Amino acid sequence: MIRSRIIGTGFFVPSKVLTNNELEEMVDTSDKWIRERTGIRERRIAEEQNSSDLATKASANALKMAGIKASDIDLIIVATVTPDMVFPSTACFLQKKIGAASASAFDISAACSGFIYAMDVADKYIKGGSAKKVLVVGVDRFSSIIDWQDRATCILFGDGAGAVVLTSEEGKRGLLSSHIFSNGNFWDMLYAPLNGSSNGLTASSAASAQKGGVKMRGNETFKIAVKMMEEASLEALRCNHLGVADLDLFIPHQANARIINSAAQRLSLPQEKIYMNIDKYGNTSAASIPIAMAEAHKAGLIHDNSLILLVAFGGGFTWASSLIRW
Ligand code: UT7
């Protein structure tokens, strides 16, 4: 059976660190509140770099690990809700910047679930035989669409990018299945009316950031996120006739440490199987899962044949899971 196997992972985060203590100077919050309610200590902020710049660095790392050239890539899919511009797609900018001359390129918009959505689409191109090497990137520069006066949201997000190279391969290893879900009835729980990371709201005025920046009904979103992450995780396991005990690593979207722990508790997952890096990066939206996966791989937590469950939840609402035999 043809499968999509990950042969390279890479990530990139900007060097500028924004700590909780620095946020205390900007809005009425405290390091203690942020740490206790979210698990976040600091996040990275892109100053000059657009989403495609972050994606370019993450992709270079993934291509290096895969041991292939950009010109070998047939397809580039970028998951982002903070594109450089409304158009061209961030994927087209990325194609130019890495020199992937033979690739087709497009973006996917599914907020924090975007990376799993993009992997699902890539897998279908690979299984259908129309692509052999696919670069899948999750990138967001949320700092460009944040209302920096809204303490309920500005403490949560950070910027970054993560990438994987998928190859078409015969065998038992690779992406076993992905499951994507949406419910647009919940659109107004988490949304940003305006967008555009190269023309960020913060660059224009505080008034426009307030009008157009990210808005969230956090507490309601929290509860639905826990439930849907549990359901999507179970769906992926059920579909492959596997159980929680078979998992080697659980890599959830990093929105809030309490959401991750609650979902893991419902699944009876032991702490040592959960990968968490939210303390360093906050919620990097579409980048959060591929950053975590690349970091976990680098840290030696992923081996040949490891069984890995990815699960995400985000604006839309969208939610998704996928199971990988590494
Ligand atoms: O990635 C996509 C999915 N995203 C998520 O799933 C995020 C989901 N939501 C959350 O992570 C949490 O709901 C938050 C971290 C956003 C908020 O935590 P919470 O425990 O749900 O707090 P809350 O919204 O119920 O607010 C509790 C209190 C309120 O004060 P009162 O009304 O009790 O006096 C808020 O005004 O905390 C206050 N508060 C803050 N205090 C200090 C809200 N934000 C802050 C803040 N600093 N930054």
Side-chain angles (χ1 to χ4, degrees), residues 236-267:
L237 289 167
R238 248 194 319 265
C239 172
N240 293 283
H241 311 289
L242 292 163
V244 171
D246 297 310
L247 289 174
D248 293 299
L249 198 60
F250 177 63
I251 305 184
H253 169 53
Q254 313 277 315
N256 185 320
R258 289 188 299 130
I259 294 181
I260 296 174
N261 287 331
S262 304
Q265 209 172 3
R266 282 168 171 244
L267 292 164

PDB file of all heavy atoms in Angstrom, residues 236-267:
ATOM      1  N   ALA A 236      -9.269   8.588  15.455  1.00  0.00           N
ATOM      2  CA  ALA A 236      -8.057   8.131  14.748  1.00  0.00           C
ATOM      3  C   ALA A 236      -7.640   6.746  15.227  1.00  0.00           C
ATOM      4  O   ALA A 236      -7.246   5.889  14.431  1.00  0.00           O
ATOM      5  CB  ALA A 236      -6.926   9.136  14.958  1.00  0.00           C
ATOM      6  N   LEU A 237      -7.745   6.520  16.535  1.00  0.00           N
ATOM      7  CA  LEU A 237      -7.355   5.206  17.083  1.00  0.00           C
ATOM      8  C   LEU A 237      -8.332   4.129  16.621  1.00  0.00           C
ATOM      9  O   LEU A 237      -7.921   3.057  16.169  1.00  0.00           O
ATOM     10  CB  LEU A 237      -7.297   5.271  18.615  1.00  0.00           C
ATOM     11  CG  LEU A 237      -6.132   6.090  19.183  1.00  0.00           C
ATOM     12  CD1 LEU A 237      -6.322   6.357  20.671  1.00  0.00           C
ATOM     13  CD2 LEU A 237      -4.798   5.368  18.942  1.00  0.00           C
ATOM     14  N   ARG A 238      -9.633   4.433  16.726  1.00  0.00           N
ATOM     15  CA  ARG A 238     -10.678   3.474  16.322  1.00  0.00           C
ATOM     16  C   ARG A 238     -10.502   3.065  14.871  1.00  0.00           C
ATOM     17  O   ARG A 238     -10.536   1.880  14.538  1.00  0.00           O
ATOM     18  CB  ARG A 238     -12.050   4.138  16.469  1.00  0.00           C
ATOM     19  CG  ARG A 238     -12.903   3.531  17.585  1.00  0.00           C
ATOM     20  CD  ARG A 238     -14.353   3.971  17.494  1.00  0.00           C
ATOM     21  NE  ARG A 238     -14.570   5.370  17.165  1.00  0.00           N
ATOM     22  CZ  ARG A 238     -14.773   6.337  18.066  1.00  0.00           C
ATOM     23  NH1 ARG A 238     -14.787   6.067  19.353  1.00  0.00           N
ATOM     24  NH2 ARG A 238     -14.971   7.576  17.677  1.00  0.00           N
ATOM     25  N   CYS A 239     -10.263   4.035  14.025  1.00  0.00           N
ATOM     26  CA  CYS A 239     -10.156   3.791  12.583  1.00  0.00           C
ATOM     27  C   CYS A 239      -9.012   2.824  12.265  1.00  0.00           C
ATOM     28  O   CYS A 239      -9.051   2.116  11.261  1.00  0.00           O
ATOM     29  CB  CYS A 239      -9.955   5.130  11.901  1.00  0.00           C
ATOM     30  SG  CYS A 239      -9.575   5.048  10.182  1.00  0.00           S
ATOM     31  N   ASN A 240      -7.994   2.807  13.115  1.00  0.00           N
ATOM     32  CA  ASN A 240      -6.826   1.942  12.874  1.00  0.00           C
ATOM     33  C   ASN A 240      -6.793   0.726  13.805  1.00  0.00           C
ATOM     34  O   ASN A 240      -5.766   0.048  13.895  1.00  0.00           O
ATOM     35  CB  ASN A 240      -5.545   2.768  13.014  1.00  0.00           C
ATOM     36  CG  ASN A 240      -5.434   3.809  11.918  1.00  0.00           C
ATOM     37  OD1 ASN A 240      -5.103   3.479  10.798  1.00  0.00           O
ATOM     38  ND2 ASN A 240      -5.763   5.052  12.231  1.00  0.00           N
ATOM     39  N   HIS A 241      -7.909   0.489  14.494  1.00  0.00           N
ATOM     40  CA  HIS A 241      -8.014  -0.643  15.423  1.00  0.00           C
ATOM     41  C   HIS A 241      -6.873  -0.632  16.433  1.00  0.00           C
ATOM     42  O   HIS A 241      -6.262  -1.659  16.730  1.00  0.00           O
ATOM     43  CB  HIS A 241      -8.058  -1.981  14.660  1.00  0.00           C
ATOM     44  CG  HIS A 241      -9.062  -1.968  13.545  1.00  0.00           C
ATOM     45  ND1 HIS A 241     -10.411  -1.980  13.775  1.00  0.00           N
ATOM     46  CD2 HIS A 241      -8.896  -1.875  12.202  1.00  0.00           C
ATOM     47  CE1 HIS A 241     -11.054  -1.910  12.610  1.00  0.00           C
ATOM     48  NE2 HIS A 241     -10.158  -1.838  11.646  1.00  0.00           N
ATOM     49  N   LEU A 242      -6.573   0.571  16.940  1.00  0.00           N
ATOM     50  CA  LEU A 242      -5.514   0.705  17.945  1.00  0.00           C
ATOM     51  C   LEU A 242      -6.101   1.371  19.182  1.00  0.00           C
ATOM     52  O   LEU A 242      -7.187   1.955  19.134  1.00  0.00           O
ATOM     53  CB  LEU A 242      -4.366   1.548  17.381  1.00  0.00           C
ATOM     54  CG  LEU A 242      -3.568   0.892  16.251  1.00  0.00           C
ATOM     55  CD1 LEU A 242      -2.749   1.921  15.482  1.00  0.00           C
ATOM     56  CD2 LEU A 242      -2.651  -0.208  16.802  1.00  0.00           C
ATOM     57  N   GLY A 243      -5.369   1.275  20.285  1.00  0.00           N
ATOM     58  CA  GLY A 243      -5.842   1.870  21.537  1.00  0.00           C
ATOM     59  C   GLY A 243      -4.832   2.870  22.075  1.00  0.00           C
ATOM     60  O   GLY A 243      -3.697   2.972  21.580  1.00  0.00           O
ATOM     61  N   VAL A 244      -5.245   3.591  23.111  1.00  0.00           N
ATOM     62  CA  VAL A 244      -4.390   4.608  23.735  1.00  0.00           C
ATOM     63  C   VAL A 244      -3.063   3.984  24.188  1.00  0.00           C
ATOM     64  O   VAL A 244      -1.991   4.593  24.061  1.00  0.00           O
ATOM     65  CB  VAL A 244      -5.137   5.258  24.920  1.00  0.00           C
ATOM     66  CG1 VAL A 244      -4.221   6.150  25.731  1.00  0.00           C
ATOM     67  CG2 VAL A 244      -6.338   6.059  24.414  1.00  0.00           C
ATOM     68  N   ALA A 245      -3.126   2.746  24.675  1.00  0.00           N
ATOM     69  CA  ALA A 245      -1.922   2.087  25.191  1.00  0.00           C
ATOM     70  C   ALA A 245      -0.890   1.829  24.090  1.00  0.00           C
ATOM     71  O   ALA A 245       0.298   1.639  24.378  1.00  0.00           O
ATOM     72  CB  ALA A 245      -2.307   0.773  25.867  1.00  0.00           C
ATOM     73  N   ASP A 246      -1.324   1.829  22.823  1.00  0.00           N
ATOM     74  CA  ASP A 246      -0.381   1.595  21.715  1.00  0.00           C
ATOM     75  C   ASP A 246       0.451   2.832  21.389  1.00  0.00           C
ATOM     76  O   ASP A 246       1.459   2.742  20.691  1.00  0.00           O
ATOM     77  CB  ASP A 246      -1.147   1.177  20.447  1.00  0.00           C
ATOM     78  CG  ASP A 246      -1.879  -0.142  20.635  1.00  0.00           C
ATOM     79  OD1 ASP A 246      -1.232  -1.098  21.098  1.00  0.00           O
ATOM     80  OD2 ASP A 246      -3.091  -0.198  20.346  1.00  0.00           O
ATOM     81  N   LEU A 247       0.007   3.992  21.872  1.00  0.00           N
ATOM     82  CA  LEU A 247       0.673   5.249  21.488  1.00  0.00           C
ATOM     83  C   LEU A 247       2.047   5.400  22.132  1.00  0.00           C
ATOM     84  O   LEU A 247       2.228   5.085  23.308  1.00  0.00           O
ATOM     85  CB  LEU A 247      -0.178   6.452  21.911  1.00  0.00           C
ATOM     86  CG  LEU A 247      -1.471   6.682  21.136  1.00  0.00           C
ATOM     87  CD1 LEU A 247      -2.266   7.823  21.780  1.00  0.00           C
ATOM     88  CD2 LEU A 247      -1.168   7.007  19.673  1.00  0.00           C
ATOM     89  N   ASP A 248       2.992   5.916  21.337  1.00  0.00           N
ATOM     90  CA  ASP A 248       4.297   6.261  21.903  1.00  0.00           C
ATOM     91  C   ASP A 248       4.362   7.744  22.251  1.00  0.00           C
ATOM     92  O   ASP A 248       5.030   8.130  23.204  1.00  0.00           O
ATOM     93  CB  ASP A 248       5.411   5.926  20.903  1.00  0.00           C
ATOM     94  CG  ASP A 248       5.512   4.424  20.691  1.00  0.00           C
ATOM     95  OD1 ASP A 248       5.776   3.722  21.689  1.00  0.00           O
ATOM     96  OD2 ASP A 248       5.279   3.957  19.559  1.00  0.00           O
ATOM     97  N   LEU A 249       3.695   8.574  21.447  1.00  0.00           N
ATOM     98  CA  LEU A 249       3.752  10.018  21.706  1.00  0.00           C
ATOM     99  C   LEU A 249       2.467  10.700  21.241  1.00  0.00           C
ATOM    100  O   LEU A 249       1.942  10.393  20.161  1.00  0.00           O
ATOM    101  CB  LEU A 249       4.956  10.630  20.977  1.00  0.00           C
ATOM    102  CG  LEU A 249       5.441  11.990  21.443  1.00  0.00           C
ATOM    103  CD1 LEU A 249       5.875  11.981  22.906  1.00  0.00           C
ATOM    104  CD2 LEU A 249       6.599  12.470  20.569  1.00  0.00           C
ATOM    105  N   PHE A 250       1.984  11.615  22.080  1.00  0.00           N
ATOM    106  CA  PHE A 250       0.791  12.402  21.791  1.00  0.00           C
ATOM    107  C   PHE A 250       1.267  13.831  21.563  1.00  0.00           C
ATOM    108  O   PHE A 250       1.850  14.441  22.466  1.00  0.00           O
ATOM    109  CB  PHE A 250      -0.128  12.298  23.017  1.00  0.00           C
ATOM    110  CG  PHE A 250      -1.394  13.098  22.974  1.00  0.00           C
ATOM    111  CD1 PHE A 250      -2.381  12.851  22.030  1.00  0.00           C
ATOM    112  CD2 PHE A 250      -1.637  14.089  23.925  1.00  0.00           C
ATOM    113  CE1 PHE A 250      -3.576  13.567  22.033  1.00  0.00           C
ATOM    114  CE2 PHE A 250      -2.832  14.812  23.933  1.00  0.00           C
ATOM    115  CZ  PHE A 250      -3.798  14.544  22.982  1.00  0.00           C
ATOM    116  N   ILE A 251       1.054  14.348  20.339  1.00  0.00           N
ATOM    117  CA  ILE A 251       1.502  15.718  20.038  1.00  0.00           C
ATOM    118  C   ILE A 251       0.259  16.562  19.751  1.00  0.00           C
ATOM    119  O   ILE A 251      -0.244  16.592  18.634  1.00  0.00           O
ATOM    120  CB  ILE A 251       2.489  15.752  18.852  1.00  0.00           C
ATOM    121  CG1 ILE A 251       3.683  14.820  19.117  1.00  0.00           C
ATOM    122  CG2 ILE A 251       2.962  17.179  18.602  1.00  0.00           C
ATOM    123  CD1 ILE A 251       4.772  14.851  18.050  1.00  0.00           C
ATOM    124  N   PRO A 252      -0.250  17.242  20.784  1.00  0.00           N
ATOM    125  CA  PRO A 252      -1.450  18.057  20.594  1.00  0.00           C
ATOM    126  C   PRO A 252      -1.108  19.483  20.202  1.00  0.00           C
ATOM    127  O   PRO A 252       0.004  19.961  20.463  1.00  0.00           O
ATOM    128  CB  PRO A 252      -2.071  18.040  21.998  1.00  0.00           C
ATOM    129  CG  PRO A 252      -0.886  17.956  22.908  1.00  0.00           C
ATOM    130  CD  PRO A 252       0.220  17.239  22.180  1.00  0.00           C
ATOM    131  N   HIS A 253      -2.087  20.167  19.608  1.00  0.00           N
ATOM    132  CA  HIS A 253      -1.965  21.600  19.375  1.00  0.00           C
ATOM    133  C   HIS A 253      -1.745  22.295  20.727  1.00  0.00           C
ATOM    134  O   HIS A 253      -2.409  21.984  21.714  1.00  0.00           O
ATOM    135  CB  HIS A 253      -3.241  22.121  18.705  1.00  0.00           C
ATOM    136  CG  HIS A 253      -3.317  23.605  18.675  1.00  0.00           C
ATOM    137  ND1 HIS A 253      -2.298  24.380  18.171  1.00  0.00           N
ATOM    138  CD2 HIS A 253      -4.273  24.470  19.107  1.00  0.00           C
ATOM    139  CE1 HIS A 253      -2.627  25.653  18.284  1.00  0.00           C
ATOM    140  NE2 HIS A 253      -3.820  25.736  18.852  1.00  0.00           N
ATOM    141  N   GLN A 254      -0.804  23.234  20.743  1.00  0.00           N
ATOM    142  CA  GLN A 254      -0.411  23.874  22.000  1.00  0.00           C
ATOM    143  C   GLN A 254      -1.167  25.195  22.174  1.00  0.00           C
ATOM    144  O   GLN A 254      -0.665  26.262  21.829  1.00  0.00           O
ATOM    145  CB  GLN A 254       1.101  24.127  22.002  1.00  0.00           C
ATOM    146  CG  GLN A 254       1.947  22.934  21.547  1.00  0.00           C
ATOM    147  CD  GLN A 254       2.217  21.919  22.640  1.00  0.00           C
ATOM    148  OE1 GLN A 254       2.557  22.289  23.759  1.00  0.00           O
ATOM    149  NE2 GLN A 254       2.080  20.631  22.326  1.00  0.00           N
ATOM    150  N   ALA A 255      -2.406  25.102  22.673  1.00  0.00           N
ATOM    151  CA  ALA A 255      -3.206  26.321  22.888  1.00  0.00           C
ATOM    152  C   ALA A 255      -3.210  26.716  24.351  1.00  0.00           C
ATOM    153  O   ALA A 255      -3.236  27.898  24.691  1.00  0.00           O
ATOM    154  CB  ALA A 255      -4.632  26.118  22.409  1.00  0.00           C
ATOM    155  N   ASN A 256      -3.206  25.702  25.222  1.00  0.00           N
ATOM    156  CA  ASN A 256      -3.288  25.949  26.656  1.00  0.00           C
ATOM    157  C   ASN A 256      -2.913  24.637  27.356  1.00  0.00           C
ATOM    158  O   ASN A 256      -3.479  23.587  27.025  1.00  0.00           O
ATOM    159  CB  ASN A 256      -4.729  26.368  27.005  1.00  0.00           C
ATOM    160  CG  ASN A 256      -4.877  26.760  28.458  1.00  0.00           C
ATOM    161  OD1 ASN A 256      -4.305  26.128  29.351  1.00  0.00           O
ATOM    162  ND2 ASN A 256      -5.648  27.792  28.719  1.00  0.00           N
ATOM    163  N   ALA A 257      -1.980  24.694  28.280  1.00  0.00           N
ATOM    164  CA  ALA A 257      -1.528  23.466  28.956  1.00  0.00           C
ATOM    165  C   ALA A 257      -2.693  22.777  29.659  1.00  0.00           C
ATOM    166  O   ALA A 257      -2.754  21.544  29.735  1.00  0.00           O
ATOM    167  CB  ALA A 257      -0.426  23.806  29.959  1.00  0.00           C
ATOM    168  N   ARG A 258      -3.667  23.580  30.134  1.00  0.00           N
ATOM    169  CA  ARG A 258      -4.816  22.972  30.833  1.00  0.00           C
ATOM    170  C   ARG A 258      -5.723  22.228  29.853  1.00  0.00           C
ATOM    171  O   ARG A 258      -6.310  21.213  30.213  1.00  0.00           O
ATOM    172  CB  ARG A 258      -5.595  24.036  31.608  1.00  0.00           C
ATOM    173  CG  ARG A 258      -4.836  24.557  32.837  1.00  0.00           C
ATOM    174  CD  ARG A 258      -5.719  25.464  33.694  1.00  0.00           C
ATOM    175  NE  ARG A 258      -6.166  26.620  32.963  1.00  0.00           N
ATOM    176  CZ  ARG A 258      -7.427  27.053  32.887  1.00  0.00           C
ATOM    177  NH1 ARG A 258      -8.389  26.419  33.525  1.00  0.00           N
ATOM    178  NH2 ARG A 258      -7.728  28.132  32.194  1.00  0.00           N
ATOM    179  N   ILE A 259      -5.833  22.740  28.627  1.00  0.00           N
ATOM    180  CA  ILE A 259      -6.630  22.020  27.609  1.00  0.00           C
ATOM    181  C   ILE A 259      -5.949  20.688  27.307  1.00  0.00           C
ATOM    182  O   ILE A 259      -6.594  19.634  27.269  1.00  0.00           O
ATOM    183  CB  ILE A 259      -6.749  22.838  26.285  1.00  0.00           C
ATOM    184  CG1 ILE A 259      -7.561  24.107  26.512  1.00  0.00           C
ATOM    185  CG2 ILE A 259      -7.357  21.984  25.171  1.00  0.00           C
ATOM    186  CD1 ILE A 259      -7.760  24.967  25.269  1.00  0.00           C
ATOM    187  N   ILE A 260      -4.636  20.728  27.104  1.00  0.00           N
ATOM    188  CA  ILE A 260      -3.888  19.513  26.763  1.00  0.00           C
ATOM    189  C   ILE A 260      -4.024  18.487  27.893  1.00  0.00           C
ATOM    190  O   ILE A 260      -4.330  17.313  27.654  1.00  0.00           O
ATOM    191  CB  ILE A 260      -2.396  19.848  26.494  1.00  0.00           C
ATOM    192  CG1 ILE A 260      -2.285  20.752  25.260  1.00  0.00           C
ATOM    193  CG2 ILE A 260      -1.574  18.567  26.322  1.00  0.00           C
ATOM    194  CD1 ILE A 260      -0.891  21.275  24.973  1.00  0.00           C
ATOM    195  N   ASN A 261      -3.827  18.951  29.137  1.00  0.00           N
ATOM    196  CA  ASN A 261      -3.892  18.007  30.258  1.00  0.00           C
ATOM    197  C   ASN A 261      -5.293  17.443  30.448  1.00  0.00           C
ATOM    198  O   ASN A 261      -5.446  16.256  30.759  1.00  0.00           O
ATOM    199  CB  ASN A 261      -3.389  18.670  31.539  1.00  0.00           C
ATOM    200  CG  ASN A 261      -1.876  18.851  31.510  1.00  0.00           C
ATOM    201  OD1 ASN A 261      -1.161  18.064  30.866  1.00  0.00           O
ATOM    202  ND2 ASN A 261      -1.370  19.880  32.160  1.00  0.00           N
ATOM    203  N   SER A 262      -6.325  18.277  30.241  1.00  0.00           N
ATOM    204  CA  SER A 262      -7.692  17.774  30.391  1.00  0.00           C
ATOM    205  C   SER A 262      -8.006  16.733  29.320  1.00  0.00           C
ATOM    206  O   SER A 262      -8.598  15.686  29.612  1.00  0.00           O
ATOM    207  CB  SER A 262      -8.722  18.897  30.276  1.00  0.00           C
ATOM    208  OG  SER A 262      -8.453  19.897  31.201  1.00  0.00           O
ATOM    209  N   ALA A 263      -7.605  17.011  28.067  1.00  0.00           N
ATOM    210  CA  ALA A 263      -7.866  16.051  26.986  1.00  0.00           C
ATOM    211  C   ALA A 263      -7.106  14.755  27.256  1.00  0.00           C
ATOM    212  O   ALA A 263      -7.651  13.656  27.103  1.00  0.00           O
ATOM    213  CB  ALA A 263      -7.472  16.644  25.641  1.00  0.00           C
ATOM    214  N   ALA A 264      -5.849  14.891  27.687  1.00  0.00           N
ATOM    215  CA  ALA A 264      -5.021  13.699  27.950  1.00  0.00           C
ATOM    216  C   ALA A 264      -5.596  12.872  29.095  1.00  0.00           C
ATOM    217  O   ALA A 264      -5.589  11.639  29.056  1.00  0.00           O
ATOM    218  CB  ALA A 264      -3.593  14.126  28.255  1.00  0.00           C
ATOM    219  N   GLN A 265      -6.132  13.573  30.089  1.00  0.00           N
ATOM    220  CA  GLN A 265      -6.731  12.884  31.237  1.00  0.00           C
ATOM    221  C   GLN A 265      -7.956  12.069  30.806  1.00  0.00           C
ATOM    222  O   GLN A 265      -8.125  10.927  31.187  1.00  0.00           O
ATOM    223  CB  GLN A 265      -7.162  13.931  32.253  1.00  0.00           C
ATOM    224  CG  GLN A 265      -7.142  13.429  33.665  1.00  0.00           C
ATOM    225  CD  GLN A 265      -7.385  14.593  34.627  1.00  0.00           C
ATOM    226  OE1 GLN A 265      -7.615  15.730  34.215  1.00  0.00           O
ATOM    227  NE2 GLN A 265      -7.333  14.308  35.910  1.00  0.00           N
ATOM    228  N   ARG A 266      -8.792  12.692  29.943  1.00  0.00           N
ATOM    229  CA  ARG A 266      -9.972  11.984  29.448  1.00  0.00           C
ATOM    230  C   ARG A 266      -9.571  10.741  28.650  1.00  0.00           C
ATOM    231  O   ARG A 266     -10.298   9.756  28.602  1.00  0.00           O
ATOM    232  CB  ARG A 266     -10.782  12.882  28.517  1.00  0.00           C
ATOM    233  CG  ARG A 266     -11.636  13.913  29.231  1.00  0.00           C
ATOM    234  CD  ARG A 266     -12.130  14.885  28.197  1.00  0.00           C
ATOM    235  NE  ARG A 266     -13.110  15.799  28.708  1.00  0.00           N
ATOM    236  CZ  ARG A 266     -14.389  15.858  28.298  1.00  0.00           C
ATOM    237  NH1 ARG A 266     -14.845  15.050  27.379  1.00  0.00           N
ATOM    238  NH2 ARG A 266     -15.211  16.738  28.800  1.00  0.00           N
ATOM    239  N   LEU A 267      -8.384  10.825  28.000  1.00  0.00           N
ATOM    240  CA  LEU A 267      -7.909   9.683  27.200  1.00  0.00           C
ATOM    241  C   LEU A 267      -7.111   8.688  28.043  1.00  0.00           C
ATOM    242  O   LEU A 267      -6.660   7.675  27.530  1.00  0.00           O
ATOM    243  CB  LEU A 267      -7.016  10.191  26.055  1.00  0.00           C
ATOM    244  CG  LEU A 267      -7.707  11.003  24.958  1.00  0.00           C
ATOM    245  CD1 LEU A 267      -6.694  11.756  24.111  1.00  0.00           C
ATOM    246  CD2 LEU A 267      -8.545  10.075  24.077  1.00  0.00           C
TER     247      LEU A 267
END
